[in-house]
Amino acid sequence: MSDNPLRVLVIDDEQGIINFLKKAIESMGHEVIATQEFEQFKNAIETWDPAVAIIDINMPGHDGVELLRYLATAGCKARILVSSGLDDRTVDAVIRLGSERGLRMSAKLPKPLRLADLQRILAEDKPAPNTPLSSSELAQAIKDNQLFLEYQPKIDCRLNRVTGVEALVRWRHPLRGLVRPDQFIGLAEGNGLIDALTDWVVSHAAQQAGVWHRQGLPIEVAVNISALNTRDVAFPDRLAQLCKNHLANPSSLVLELTETGAMSDVIQMMDVLTRLRVKGFKLSIDDFGTGYSSLVQLQRMPFCEIKIDRSFVSQMKQSRDCEVIVEIIVDLAHKLGLRSVAEGVEGKPILDALTKLGCDAAQGFHISPPVAADRIPELIRQYSQTRQAVA
Ligand code: G
Ligand code: G
Ligand code: MN
């Protein structure tokens, strides 16, 4: 039972989903109005003041974009959770649009909808301050361990086994609830906090890698680093020390670098990345094919791995162009002696196509969304069992 009962409003065109959510949310101790009718939904928004609204964005009568437009005009303060069977990119676009209109959009619910996720999200609901996030709040969060990591598995396409994970940072803000990295990485980069943030992430990821290795699970842990981290020539020494503190081997860490164009001193970046390689860290060029992650960088910097941007991968079954781009990047990686990793694997047909192309590793919602560290051993076991079953 919740110690913070909320008013939760649901609109969906399927009676089955309405019944399911109503029962589930009531059983968590919250009040619910669940309806198929826009008029009733509108009435509840205007008179009932819900804390959370769960909206189906693909209904015959009203689509989600129209609903969001209405909610913004009505000055709706509820936190908005989007539910839909639409593809992830469309859902992402709807969420972004809602945020741009000033609505309090929650992160996307993983599919299929699990009650535990819903419960967690409802438990996180606190009144949100309207002020923008400040760098002093973030500095405090790093000190107070308000940050935490989730891990998303990567599988070896040929072996169908989990061989690594990517660590992704989240911020559990005491007043605002869950804050996503896209809302604070830029803030860290712009306010001299990115070194402290990266150190926090690497330290926790290295510790977790050490734990898994001692449990007999020799998986690689990838962390995202910012191009700005390479402005400090002591960065490789700091990371090596953090690994040493946690008895983790640098070769069990993969550093995923996204180029933002913020880095002007190329020689310095080459210096730092090369020293990281010399110390045994693996280096990956993230979001390859977009923005500043270019062929020039591949040729200059000592990368071990190319991470193919999810915009190409997730569309490769709908778009022949995207499929060709993925194929060429896999080929490029191999000809350069690098590992190819596809992110944004949202369905089995994509995974099958990647395997056929000879892509080395795959990551995406089809395999698993990012999860808490303690769920990783079970995912590793599941994969090794399915493999034995087919062998
Ligand atoms: O997990 P999510 O999809 O919300 O991540 C959004 C973006 O934030 C991704 O592009 C990811 O690379 C970035 N990100 C996640 N965790 C970290 C981190 O620890 N450090 C940096 N620099 N970026 C991160
Ligand atoms: O930019 P970077 O590659 O670090 O982004 C990683 C982020 O991508 C993760 O935080 C995760 O939430 C998101 N992500 C992971 N798998 C998928 C997927 O299959 N589709 C989409 N759209 N996003 C994904
Ligand atoms: Mn990444």
Side-chain angles (χ1 to χ4, degrees):
M1 275 287 156
S2 171
D3 51 13
N4 177 27
L6 302 171
R7 288 181 173 177
V8 183
L9 175 62
V10 179
I11 182 164
D12 202 296
D13 64 331
E14 280 185 52
Q15 191 60 44
I17 294 186
I18 288 197
N19 295 346
F20 168 77
L21 285 176
K22 189 164 169 28
K23 218 166 128 198
I25 296 168
E26 275 172 353
S27 75
M28 293 171 197
H30 303 295
E31 278 180 69
V32 190
I33 292 180
T35 177
Q36 289 175 299
E37 303 299 329
F38 178 65
E39 280 310 315
Q40 198 185 345
F41 175 80
K42 195 166 164 244
N43 191 34
I45 288 287
E46 283 158 20
T47 60
W48 192 55
D49 193 23
V52 178
I54 303 180
I55 64 172
D56 177 358
I57 54 171
N58 189 17
M59 296 187 302
H62 286 86
D63 70 44
V65 174
E66 293 169 303
L67 275 180
L68 293 181
R69 197 188 306 133
Y70 158 73
L71 289 171
T73 319
C76 169
K77 294 276 173 288
R79 207 145 57 97
I80 297 167
L81 269 161
V82 162
S83 81
S84 109
L86 294 175
D87 67 283
D88 281 300
R89 297 185 64 75
T90 309
V91 176
D92 283 342
V94 170
I95 292 176
R96 262 195 309 276
L97 179 62
S99 304
E100 294 289 330
R101 288 200 184 275
L103 294 168
R104 291 176 59 207
M105 303 303 293
S106 266
K108 189 165 47 187
L109 280 172
K111 278 178 287 183
L113 182 58
R114 294 185 330 138
L115 285 185
D117 291 320
L118 189 57
Q119 193 158 21
R120 178 173 49 79
I121 288 172
L122 293 179
E124 272 156 9
D125 195 82
K126 302 264 165 53
N130 288 324
T131 49
L133 285 164
S134 72
S135 58
S136 59
E137 278 175 288
L138 180 57
Q140 195 64 37
I142 300 170
K143 278 204 210 86
D144 289 356
N145 280 317
Q146 291 169 23
L147 304 182
F148 66 101
L149 295 179
E150 283 188 327
Y151 295 88
Q152 187 176 34
K154 298 187 200 176
I155 60 167
D156 180 308
C157 295
R158 214 167 40 82
L159 300 175
N160 193 33
R161 265 193 183 194
V162 177
T163 49
V165 292
E166 177 177 3
L168 295 154
V169 71
R170 279 90 181 78
W171 178 1
R172 196 177 283 118
H173 191 290
L175 299 174
R176 302 168 193 262
L178 189 68
V179 187
R180 317 277 309 178
D182 5 352
Q183 292 171 263
F184 62 87
I185 298 297
L187 186 68
E189 288 179 329
N191 291 278
L193 292 169
I194 193 66
D195 285 334
L197 180 92
T198 301
D199 284 7
W200 189 95
V201 171
V202 171
S203 176
H204 286 75
Q207 181 182 24
Q208 187 60 59
V211 169
W212 283 325
H213 287 207
R214 285 188 289 283
Q215 290 175 352
L217 303 170
I219 50 173
E220 278 182 355
V221 179
V223 296
N224 291 283
I225 63 168
S226 159
L228 294 185
N229 290 130
T230 67
R231 283 203 299 208
D232 180 5
V233 283
F235 183 55
D237 308 286
R238 274 196 350 253
L239 291 203
Q241 187 59 48
L242 290 173
C243 284
K244 213 166 156 191
N245 295 348
H246 296 293
L247 307 175
N249 192 324
S251 67
S252 58
L253 292 192
V254 181
L255 309 176
E256 294 188 3
L257 179 77
T258 306
E259 266 283 27
T260 53
M263 188 68 196
S264 49
D265 191 343
V266 173
I267 309 271
Q268 159 110 4
M269 187 188 269
M270 285 169 70
D271 177 307
V272 168
L273 293 183
T274 307
R275 285 186 63 235
L276 285 166
R277 273 302 291 139
V278 169
K279 289 181 184 300
F281 294 98
K282 301 201 176 92
L283 296 176
S284 172
I285 182 164
D286 207 349
D287 305 331
F288 187 75
T290 64
Y292 293 83
S293 296
S294 67
L295 294 170
V296 185
Q297 303 298 18
L298 256 195
Q299 190 250 330
R300 279 199 280 225
M301 311 288 178
F303 289 109
C304 320
E305 174 185 289
I306 297 182
K307 214 154 167 205
I308 310 167
D309 191 73
R310 63 166 173 261
S311 58
F312 307 121
V313 177
S314 63
Q315 297 302 305
M316 68 187 279
K317 293 315 291 176
Q318 286 107 294
S319 151
R320 176 70 188 139
D321 291 356
C322 288
E323 192 170 19
V324 169
I325 290 169
V326 172
E327 186 175 336
I328 301 281
I329 300 177
V330 169
D331 199 32
L332 172 71
H334 292 168
K335 289 191 167 132
L336 293 172
L338 308 176
R339 189 160 64 163
S340 50
V341 182
E343 64 179 20
V345 179
E346 294 176 357
K348 182 156 190 313
I350 299 179
L351 181 58
D352 292 342
L354 289 165
T355 309
K356 220 159 142 197
L357 290 179
C359 184
D360 298 300
Q363 175 183 351
F365 295 143
H366 170 65
I367 296 151
S368 165
V371 296
D374 60 7
R375 298 215 15 229
I376 292 294
E378 140 205 345
L379 283 167
I380 296 178
R381 267 192 298 279
Q382 265 173 24
Y383 266 89
S384 60
Q385 274 160 11
T386 46
R387 178 164 158 69
Q388 272 161 10
V390 292

